[in-house]
Coordinates of all heavy atoms in Angstrom, one line a residue:
H130 N 143.6 89.0 63.7 CA 143.8 90.5 63.5 C 144.8 91.0 64.7 O 144.5 90.5 65.9 CB 142.5 91.2 63.6 CG 141.7 90.9 62.2 ND1 140.9 89.9 62.0 CD2 141.5 91.8 61.1 CE1 140.4 89.9 60.8 NE2 140.7 91.1 60.3
L131 N 145.5 92.1 64.4 CA 146.3 92.7 65.4 C 145.6 94.0 65.8 O 145.3 94.8 64.9 CB 147.7 92.9 65.1 CG 148.5 91.5 65.1 CD1 150.0 91.8 64.6 CD2 148.6 91.0 66.5
F132 N 145.6 94.4 67.1 CA 145.2 95.6 67.6 C 146.1 95.9 68.7 O 146.1 95.4 69.7 CB 143.6 95.6 67.9 CG 143.2 96.9 68.6 CD1 142.8 97.9 67.7 CD2 142.9 97.0 69.9 CE1 142.4 99.2 68.2 CE2 142.5 98.3 70.4 CZ 142.3 99.3 69.6
N133 N 146.7 97.1 68.6 CA 147.5 97.5 69.7 C 148.5 96.4 70.0 O 148.8 96.3 71.2 CB 146.7 98.1 70.9 CG 147.5 98.9 71.7 OD1 148.4 99.6 71.3 ND2 147.0 99.0 73.0
N134 N 149.1 95.8 69.0 CA 150.1 94.8 69.1 C 149.6 93.6 69.9 O 150.3 92.9 70.5 CB 151.4 95.3 69.7 CG 152.1 96.3 68.8 OD1 152.1 96.2 67.6 ND2 152.8 97.2 69.4
Q135 N 148.2 93.4 69.8 CA 147.7 92.1 70.6 C 146.9 91.4 69.5 O 146.1 92.1 68.7 CB 146.8 92.5 71.7 CG 147.6 93.2 72.9 CD 146.8 93.5 74.0 OE1 145.6 93.5 73.9 NE2 147.3 93.9 75.2
L136 N 146.9 90.1 69.5 CA 146.2 89.3 68.6 C 144.6 89.3 69.1 O 144.4 89.1 70.3 CB 146.7 87.9 68.6 CG 145.9 86.9 67.8 CD1 146.0 87.3 66.3 CD2 146.5 85.6 67.9
I137 N 143.8 89.6 68.2 CA 142.3 89.7 68.5 C 141.7 88.5 67.7 O 141.8 88.4 66.5 CB 141.7 91.0 68.0 CG1 142.4 92.2 68.7 CG2 140.2 91.0 68.4 CD1 142.4 92.2 70.3
T138 N 141.0 87.7 68.4 CA 140.2 86.5 67.9 C 138.8 87.1 67.6 O 138.2 87.5 68.5 CB 140.2 85.4 68.8 OG1 141.6 85.1 69.0 CG2 139.4 84.3 68.1
I139 N 138.4 87.3 66.3 CA 137.1 87.9 65.9 C 135.9 87.1 66.6 O 135.0 87.7 67.0 CB 137.0 87.8 64.4 CG1 138.1 88.6 63.7 CG2 135.6 88.4 64.0 CD1 138.1 90.1 64.1
N140 N 136.1 85.7 66.8 CA 135.0 84.9 67.3 C 134.6 85.3 68.7 O 133.5 85.3 69.2 CB 135.4 83.4 67.2 CG 135.3 82.9 65.8 OD1 134.9 83.6 64.8 ND2 135.9 81.8 65.6
F141 N 135.7 85.9 69.4 CA 135.5 86.2 70.8 C 135.0 87.7 70.9 O 134.6 88.0 72.1 CB 136.8 85.9 71.6 CG 137.1 84.5 71.9 CD1 138.3 84.0 71.7 CD2 136.1 83.8 72.5 CE1 138.5 82.6 72.0 CE2 136.4 82.4 72.8 CZ 137.6 81.9 72.6
L142 N 135.0 88.4 69.9 CA 134.5 89.8 70.1 C 133.1 89.9 70.4 O 132.8 90.7 71.3 CB 134.8 90.6 68.7 CG 136.3 91.0 68.5 CD1 136.3 91.7 67.0 CD2 136.8 91.8 69.6
V143 N 132.2 89.1 69.9 CA 130.9 89.1 70.3 C 130.7 88.6 71.7 O 130.0 89.3 72.6 CB 130.1 88.1 69.4 CG1 128.7 87.8 69.9 CG2 130.1 88.6 68.0
D144 N 131.5 87.5 72.1 CA 131.4 87.2 73.6 C 132.0 88.3 74.5 O 131.5 88.5 75.5 CB 132.2 85.9 73.8 CG 131.4 84.7 73.3 OD1 130.2 84.8 73.1 OD2 132.0 83.7 73.2
D145 N 133.0 89.0 74.1 CA 133.5 90.0 74.8 C 132.6 91.1 75.1 O 132.4 91.6 76.2 CB 134.8 90.7 74.1 CG 136.1 89.8 74.2 OD1 136.0 88.8 74.9 OD2 136.9 90.1 73.5
L146 N 131.8 91.5 74.0 CA 130.7 92.4 74.2 C 129.7 92.1 75.0 O 129.2 92.7 75.9 CB 130.2 92.9 72.7 CG 129.1 93.9 72.7 CD1 129.5 95.2 73.3 CD2 128.5 94.1 71.4
R147 N 129.2 90.8 74.8 CA 128.1 90.3 75.7 C 128.4 90.3 77.1 O 127.7 90.6 78.0 CB 127.7 88.9 75.2 CG 127.0 88.8 74.0 CD 126.4 87.5 73.5 NE 125.8 87.5 72.3 CZ 125.8 86.5 71.4 NH1 126.5 85.5 71.7 NH2 125.1 86.7 70.3
F148 N 129.8 89.8 77.4 CA 130.4 89.8 78.8 C 130.3 91.2 79.4 O 129.9 91.5 80.3 CB 131.7 89.2 78.7 CG 132.3 89.1 80.1 CD1 131.9 88.2 81.1 CD2 133.4 90.1 80.4 CE1 132.6 88.1 82.2 CE2 134.1 89.9 81.7 CZ 133.7 89.0 82.7
Y149 N 130.8 92.1 78.5 CA 130.9 93.5 79.1 C 129.5 94.1 79.4 O 129.3 94.6 80.4 CB 131.5 94.5 78.0 CG 131.4 95.9 78.4 CD1 132.3 96.5 79.4 CD2 130.4 96.7 77.8 CE1 132.0 97.8 79.7 CE2 130.3 98.1 78.1 CZ 131.0 98.6 79.0 OH 130.8 99.9 79.3
L150 N 128.5 93.7 78.5 CA 127.2 94.3 78.9 C 126.6 93.6 80.1 O 125.9 94.2 80.8 CB 126.3 94.0 77.6 CG 126.7 94.8 76.3 CD1 125.9 94.3 75.2 CD2 126.5 96.3 76.6
E151 N 126.8 92.3 80.3 CA 126.3 91.6 81.3 C 127.0 92.1 82.7 O 126.4 92.3 83.8 CB 126.5 90.1 81.3 CG 125.6 89.3 80.4 CD 124.2 89.7 80.7 OE1 123.7 89.5 81.9 OE2 123.3 89.8 79.8
I152 N 128.2 92.4 82.6 CA 129.0 92.8 83.8 C 128.6 94.2 84.1 O 128.4 94.6 85.3 CB 130.5 92.9 83.6 CG1 131.0 91.2 83.6 CG2 131.3 93.6 84.6 CD1 130.7 90.6 84.8
N153 N 128.3 95.0 83.0 CA 127.8 96.3 83.4 C 126.5 96.4 84.1 O 126.2 97.1 85.0 CB 127.7 97.1 81.9 CG 127.5 98.6 82.1 OD1 127.9 99.2 83.2 ND2 126.9 99.2 81.1
K154 N 125.4 95.6 83.5 CA 124.2 95.3 84.2 C 124.4 94.9 85.6 O 123.6 95.4 86.5 CB 123.3 94.3 83.5 CG 122.7 94.9 82.2 CD 121.7 94.0 81.6 CE 122.3 93.2 80.4 NZ 121.3 92.2 79.9
F155 N 125.3 93.8 85.7 CA 125.4 93.4 87.1 C 125.9 94.4 88.0 O 125.5 94.6 89.2 CB 126.4 92.2 87.1 CG 126.6 91.7 88.6 CD1 125.7 90.9 89.1 CD2 127.9 92.0 89.2 CE1 126.1 90.2 90.4 CE2 128.0 91.5 90.5 CZ 127.1 90.8 91.1
S156 N 126.9 95.2 87.6 CA 127.4 96.3 88.3 C 126.4 97.4 88.8 O 126.4 97.7 90.1 CB 128.5 97.0 87.6 OG 129.1 98.1 88.3
R157 N 125.5 97.6 88.0 CA 124.4 98.5 88.2 C 123.5 98.0 89.3 O 123.1 98.6 90.3 CB 123.6 99.0 87.1 CG 124.4 100.0 86.2 CD 123.6 100.7 85.1 NE 122.6 99.8 84.5 CZ 122.8 99.2 83.3 NH1 124.1 99.4 82.7 NH2 122.0 98.4 82.7
L158 N 123.2 96.6 89.2 CA 122.4 95.9 90.1 C 123.0 95.8 91.6 O 122.3 96.1 92.4 CB 122.1 94.5 89.7 CG 121.1 94.4 88.5 CD1 121.1 92.9 88.0 CD2 119.7 94.7 88.9
A159 N 124.3 95.5 91.5 CA 125.0 95.4 92.8 C 125.1 96.9 93.5 O 125.0 96.9 94.8 CB 126.3 94.9 92.5
D160 N 125.4 97.9 92.6 CA 125.3 99.2 93.2 C 123.9 99.5 93.9 O 123.8 100.2 95.0 CB 125.7 100.3 92.2 CG 127.0 100.2 91.8 OD1 127.8 99.5 92.3 OD2 127.4 101.0 90.8
S161 N 122.9 99.2 93.2 CA 121.5 99.4 93.8 C 121.4 98.6 95.0 O 120.7 99.1 96.1 CB 120.4 99.0 92.8 OG 120.5 99.9 91.6
A162 N 121.7 97.4 95.0 CA 121.6 96.6 96.3 C 122.4 97.1 97.4 O 121.9 97.1 98.5 CB 122.0 95.1 96.0
E163 N 123.6 97.6 97.1 CA 124.5 98.3 98.1 C 123.8 99.5 98.7 O 123.8 99.7 100.0 CB 125.9 98.6 97.5 CG 126.8 99.1 98.5 CD 128.2 99.4 97.9 OE1 128.3 99.7 96.8 OE2 129.1 99.3 98.6
A164 N 123.2 100.3 97.9 CA 122.5 101.5 98.3 C 121.4 101.2 99.2 O 121.2 101.7 100.3 CB 122.0 102.3 97.2
L165 N 120.6 100.1 98.9 CA 119.5 99.6 99.7 C 120.0 99.0 101.0 O 119.4 99.2 102.0 CB 118.7 98.6 98.9 CG 117.8 99.1 97.8 CD1 117.2 97.8 97.1 CD2 116.7 100.0 98.2
A166 N 121.2 98.3 101.0 CA 121.7 97.8 102.3 C 122.1 98.9 103.1 O 122.0 98.7 104.4 CB 122.8 96.8 101.9
A167 N 122.5 100.0 102.6 CA 122.9 101.1 103.4 C 121.7 101.7 104.3 O 122.0 102.3 105.3 CB 123.6 102.2 102.6
H168 N 120.6 101.4 103.8 CA 119.4 102.0 104.4 C 118.6 100.7 105.0 O 117.4 100.9 105.3 CB 118.6 102.7 103.5 CG 119.1 104.0 102.9 ND1 119.5 105.1 103.7 CD2 119.6 104.2 101.8 CE1 120.0 105.9 103.0 NE2 120.2 105.4 101.8
N169 N 119.3 99.8 105.2 CA 118.6 98.3 105.8 C 117.3 98.1 105.0 O 116.4 97.6 105.6 CB 118.4 98.6 107.2 CG 119.5 98.7 108.0 OD1 120.6 98.1 107.7 ND2 119.5 99.6 109.1
M170 N 117.4 98.2 103.8 CA 116.2 97.9 102.9 C 116.4 96.7 101.9 O 115.7 96.4 101.1 CB 115.7 99.0 102.1 CG 115.4 100.3 102.9 SD 115.1 101.8 101.9 CE 113.8 101.2 100.9
Q171 N 117.7 96.1 102.0 CA 117.9 95.0 101.0 C 117.3 93.7 101.5 O 117.2 93.4 102.7 CB 119.5 94.8 101.0 CG 120.0 93.9 99.9 CD 121.5 93.8 100.0 OE1 122.0 93.8 101.1 NE2 122.0 93.5 98.9
S172 N 116.8 93.0 100.5 CA 116.1 91.8 100.8 C 117.0 90.6 100.6 O 117.8 90.6 99.7 CB 114.7 91.7 100.1 OG 114.9 91.3 98.8
E173 N 116.7 89.3 101.1 CA 117.3 88.2 100.9 C 117.1 87.8 99.3 O 118.1 87.2 98.9 CB 117.0 87.1 101.9 CG 117.5 87.3 103.3 CD 116.9 86.2 104.2 OE1 116.8 85.0 103.8 OE2 116.8 86.5 105.4
K174 N 116.0 88.1 98.9 CA 115.8 87.8 97.6 C 116.6 88.5 96.6 O 117.1 87.8 95.6 CB 114.2 88.2 97.1 CG 113.2 87.1 97.5 CD 111.9 87.7 97.2 CE 111.3 87.3 95.9 NZ 109.9 87.7 95.7
E175 N 117.0 89.7 96.8 CA 117.9 90.4 96.0 C 119.3 89.9 96.1 O 120.0 89.7 95.1 CB 117.9 92.0 96.4 CG 116.6 92.8 96.0 CD 116.5 94.0 96.7 OE1 117.0 94.2 97.9 OE2 115.7 94.9 96.2
V176 N 119.8 89.6 97.2 CA 121.1 89.0 97.5 C 121.2 87.6 96.7 O 122.1 87.4 96.0 CB 121.4 88.8 98.9 CG1 122.7 88.0 99.2 CG2 121.5 90.2 99.7
A177 N 120.1 86.9 96.9 CA 120.1 85.5 96.2 C 120.2 85.7 94.5 O 120.8 85.0 93.9 CB 118.9 84.7 96.5
F178 N 119.4 86.7 94.2 CA 119.4 87.0 92.7 C 120.8 87.4 92.2 O 121.3 86.9 91.2 CB 118.3 88.1 92.5 CG 118.5 88.7 91.0 CD1 117.9 87.8 90.0 CD2 119.1 89.8 90.6 CE1 118.0 88.2 88.6 CE2 119.2 90.2 89.3 CZ 118.7 89.4 88.3
L179 N 121.5 88.3 93.0 CA 122.8 88.7 92.6 C 123.8 87.5 92.5 O 124.6 87.3 91.6 CB 123.3 89.6 93.5 CG 122.7 91.1 93.2 CD1 123.1 92.1 94.4 CD2 122.9 91.7 91.9
K180 N 123.6 86.6 93.5 CA 124.4 85.4 93.6 C 124.3 84.4 92.4 O 125.2 83.9 91.8 CB 124.3 84.6 94.9 CG 124.9 85.4 96.0 CD 124.6 84.6 97.4 CE 125.4 85.4 98.5 NZ 125.1 84.6 99.8
R181 N 122.8 84.3 92.0 CA 122.6 83.6 90.8 C 123.2 84.2 89.6 O 123.7 83.5 88.7 CB 121.0 83.4 90.6 CG 120.5 82.3 91.7 CD 119.1 81.9 91.3 NE 118.1 83.0 91.0 CZ 117.5 83.7 92.0 NH1 117.6 83.3 93.3 NH2 116.7 84.8 91.7
K182 N 123.0 85.5 89.5 CA 123.5 86.3 88.3 C 125.0 86.0 88.2 O 125.5 85.8 87.0 CB 123.2 87.7 88.4 CG 123.6 88.6 87.3 CD 122.5 88.6 86.2 CE 122.8 89.6 85.2 NZ 122.2 89.3 84.0
V183 N 125.9 86.1 89.2 CA 127.2 86.0 89.2 C 127.5 84.5 88.7 O 128.5 84.3 87.9 CB 127.8 86.2 90.6 CG1 129.3 85.6 90.6 CG2 127.9 87.6 90.7
A184 N 126.9 83.4 89.2 CA 127.0 82.1 88.8 C 126.8 81.9 87.3 O 127.5 81.2 86.7 CB 126.1 81.2 89.6
I185 N 125.7 82.5 86.8 CA 125.2 82.5 85.4 C 126.5 83.1 84.5 O 127.0 82.4 83.5 CB 124.0 83.0 85.1 CG1 122.9 82.1 85.7 CG2 123.8 83.3 83.6 CD1 121.6 82.8 85.7
I186 N 127.0 84.3 84.8 CA 127.9 85.0 84.1 C 129.2 84.1 84.0 O 129.8 84.0 83.1 CB 128.3 86.4 84.7 CG1 127.0 87.3 84.4 CG2 129.5 86.9 84.1 CD1 127.0 88.6 85.1
S187 N 129.6 83.6 85.3 CA 130.7 82.8 85.4 C 130.6 81.5 84.5 O 131.6 81.3 83.8 CB 131.0 82.4 86.9 OG 132.2 81.5 87.0
K188 N 129.5 80.8 84.5 CA 129.3 79.7 83.8 C 129.3 79.9 82.4 O 129.7 79.1 81.5 CB 127.9 78.9 84.2 CG 127.7 77.6 83.7 CD 128.6 76.6 84.3 CE 128.3 75.2 83.9 NZ 129.2 74.2 84.4
L189 N 128.7 80.9 81.8 CA 128.7 81.3 80.4 C 130.0 81.9 79.8 O 130.4 81.5 78.7 CB 127.6 82.4 80.2 CG 126.2 82.0 80.2 CD1 125.3 83.2 80.2 CD2 125.9 80.9 79.2
F190 N 130.8 82.6 80.6 CA 131.9 83.2 80.0 C 133.3 82.9 80.7 O 134.3 82.9 79.9 CB 131.7 84.8 80.2 CG 130.6 85.3 79.5 CD1 129.5 85.8 80.1 CD2 130.5 85.6 78.2 CE1 128.4 86.3 79.5 CE2 129.5 86.0 77.4 CZ 128.4 86.5 78.1
L191 N 133.4 82.5 81.9 CA 134.6 82.3 82.5 C 134.9 80.8 82.8 O 136.1 80.5 82.8 CB 134.5 83.0 83.9 CG 134.3 84.6 83.7 CD1 134.3 85.2 85.2 CD2 135.3 85.3 82.9
N192 N 133.8 80.0 82.9 CA 134.0 78.6 83.2 C 133.1 77.8 82.3 O 132.3 77.0 82.9 CB 134.0 78.4 84.6 CG 134.5 77.0 84.9 OD1 135.2 76.3 84.3 ND2 134.1 76.5 86.2
S193 N 133.1 77.9 80.9 CA 132.1 77.4 80.2 C 132.3 75.9 80.0 O 133.4 75.3 80.2 CB 132.2 77.9 78.8 OG 131.3 77.4 77.9
D194 N 131.1 75.1 79.9 CA 131.1 73.8 79.5 C 131.6 73.5 78.1 O 132.0 72.3 77.7 CB 129.9 73.2 79.6 CG 129.2 73.2 81.2 OD1 130.1 73.0 82.0 OD2 128.0 73.1 81.4
I195 N 131.5 74.5 77.3 CA 131.9 74.5 75.8 C 133.3 74.9 75.7 O 133.6 76.0 76.2 CB 131.0 75.3 74.9 CG1 129.5 74.9 75.2 CG2 131.5 75.3 73.5 CD1 128.5 75.9 74.5
P196 N 134.1 74.0 75.2 CA 135.7 74.6 75.1 C 135.6 75.7 74.2 O 135.0 75.8 73.1 CB 136.3 73.2 74.5 CG 135.5 72.2 74.9 CD 134.1 72.7 74.9
P197 N 136.7 76.5 74.4 CA 137.5 76.8 75.6 C 136.6 77.2 76.8 O 135.7 77.9 76.7 CB 138.6 77.8 75.2 CG 137.9 78.6 74.2 CD 137.0 77.7 73.4
K198 N 137.2 76.9 78.0 CA 136.4 77.4 79.1 C 136.4 78.7 79.2 O 135.2 79.4 79.7 CB 137.2 76.7 80.5 CG 136.9 75.2 80.6 CD 137.4 74.9 82.1 CE 136.9 73.4 82.4 NZ 135.5 73.2 82.6
L199 N 137.4 79.5 79.0 CA 137.3 80.9 79.0 C 136.9 81.5 77.7 O 137.5 81.2 76.7 CB 138.7 81.5 79.4 CG 138.9 83.0 79.4 CD1 137.9 83.5 80.5 CD2 140.2 83.4 79.7
R200 N 135.6 82.1 77.7 CA 135.0 82.5 76.4 C 135.2 83.9 76.1 O 134.6 84.4 75.0 CB 133.4 82.1 76.5 CG 133.1 80.7 76.9 CD 133.4 79.7 75.8 NE 132.8 80.0 74.6 CZ 133.2 79.6 73.5 NH1 134.1 78.5 73.4 NH2 132.5 79.8 72.4
V201 N 136.0 84.6 76.9 CA 136.2 86.0 76.7 C 137.6 86.2 76.6 O 138.4 85.5 77.3 CB 135.6 87.0 77.6 CG1 134.0 87.0 77.5 CG2 135.8 86.7 79.0
R202 N 138.1 87.3 76.1 CA 139.5 87.6 76.0 C 139.9 88.5 77.2 O 139.1 89.4 77.5 CB 139.9 88.2 74.7 CG 141.4 88.6 74.7 CD 141.6 89.3 73.3 NE 142.7 90.0 73.1 CZ 143.9 90.3 74.0 NH1 143.8 90.0 75.1 NH2 144.9 91.0 73.4
C203 N 140.9 88.1 78.0 CA 141.4 89.0 79.2 C 142.2 90.1 78.6 O 143.3 89.8 77.9 CB 142.1 88.1 80.2 SG 141.2 86.8 80.9
W204 N 141.6 91.3 78.7 CA 142.4 92.5 78.1 C 143.6 92.9 79.1 O 143.3 93.2 80.3 CB 141.4 93.6 77.8 CG 140.5 93.3 76.8 CD1 139.3 92.7 77.0 CD2 140.7 93.4 75.5 NE1 138.7 92.3 75.8 CE2 139.5 93.0 74.8 CE3 141.7 93.8 74.7 CZ2 139.3 92.9 73.4 CZ3 141.6 93.8 73.4 CH2 140.5 93.4 72.7
D205 N 144.6 93.1 78.6 CA 145.7 93.7 79.4 C 145.6 95.3 79.3 O 145.4 95.8 78.2 CB 147.1 93.3 78.8 CG 147.3 91.7 79.0 OD1 146.9 91.3 79.9 OD2 148.0 91.1 78.0
P206 N 145.9 96.0 80.4 CA 145.9 97.3 80.3 C 147.0 97.8 79.4 O 148.0 97.3 79.3 CB 146.1 97.8 81.8 CG 146.6 96.6 82.5 CD 146.2 95.4 81.7
P207 N 146.7 99.0 78.8 CA 147.7 99.6 77.7 C 149.0 99.9 78.4 O 149.0 100.3 79.6 CB 146.9 100.7 77.2 CG 145.7 101.0 77.9 CD 145.5 99.8 78.8

């Protein structure tokens, strides 16, 4: 399918949505951790959790063991 003169692979739309949702959750978690760090309240457990979360997102969507390695479509700005 074409959208805005770009080829869209339907199979990746679900992964695109899941990736967006995970990144959105991660962003909120990172913002919370940053706010806590500003008040010297951030724990090592929170930092370790965020690092594990990034590693999982990367492994699932950006560097997958299942071909193709990149499981989401990189969107070009309009």
Side-chain angles (χ1 to χ4, degrees):
H130 289 79
L131 284 176
F132 176 74
N133 202 19
N134 293 327
Q135 294 183 349
L136 181 62
I137 304 297
T138 305
I139 299 300
N140 293 345
F141 285 128
L142 286 178
V143 173
D144 284 346
D145 289 350
L146 177 60
R147 288 181 180 149
F148 179 73
Y149 169 78
L150 293 173
E151 286 300 322
I152 291 298
N153 192 27
K154 282 190 254 180
F155 178 81
S156 179
R157 289 194 313 263
L158 288 170
D160 287 347
S161 296
E163 185 178 25
L165 290 173
H168 298 288
N169 294 323
M170 297 172 59
Q171 187 177 33
S172 75
E173 289 181 30
K174 278 174 91 175
E175 290 164 334
V176 172
F178 172 77
L179 288 174
K180 288 180 180 181
R181 281 193 312 272
K182 182 85 170 159
V183 164
I185 291 168
I186 290 170
S187 177
K188 188 72 170 168
L189 288 175
F190 298 104
L191 305 176
N192 193 19
S193 177
D194 290 336
I195 303 167
K198 284 192 169 297
L199 182 62
R200 306 294 301 170
V201 292
R202 183 177 165 354
C203 296
W204 293 93
D205 296 325

